[in-house]
Amino acid sequence: ALISSIFFCLTGSSSIFHIDDRLCRVLGSVAVFFAIKSYHCERHGHYEQAVIYARRSFAWSMATFVLGLFLFLTLGLILFVRR
């Protein structure tokens, strides 16, 4: 979960979609936070809590991906239709 969260946190747009870029980085940071908490719980033997945090991390990662994809497609469609 930690690697996928870091991937979604660090990937962003390098084009004109700055709102999408910043929003995805913030949401991705939340996913990384939960992944780190999951990692620490697992290391200390709190496996049930680690699973809960891992699921939250995965949910935030997927929410970041879906929202980013939606914003990219929406903004891209708006810009495409304008031209």
Side-chain angles (χ1 to χ4, degrees):
L2 180 61
I3 293 173
S4 65
S5 300
I6 290 173
F7 172 75
F8 286 122
C9 177
L10 295 179
T11 57
S13 64
S14 60
S15 61
I16 62 172
F17 304 129
H18 296 294
I19 295 171
D20 180 44
D21 182 37
R22 290 183 183 143
L23 185 63
C24 286
R25 287 181 193 256
V26 170
L27 293 177
S29 298
V30 173
V32 170
F33 171 76
F34 281 119
I36 290 171
K37 287 190 68 92
S38 172
Y39 175 74
H40 286 294
C41 285
E42 185 180 9
R43 287 196 61 181
H44 294 293
H46 306 290
Y47 298 112
E48 292 175 3
Q49 190 66 34
V51 169
I52 292 170
Y53 284 134
R55 287 182 182 159
R56 286 184 187 169
S57 174
F58 182 74
W60 279 100
S61 295
M62 289 297 106
T64 302
F65 175 74
V66 169
L67 185 65
L69 184 64
F70 175 75
L71 288 175
F72 260 137
L73 292 176
T74 303
L75 290 174
L77 183 62
I78 290 171
L79 292 175
F80 179 73
V81 170
R82 279 189 172 177
R83 294 182 181 195

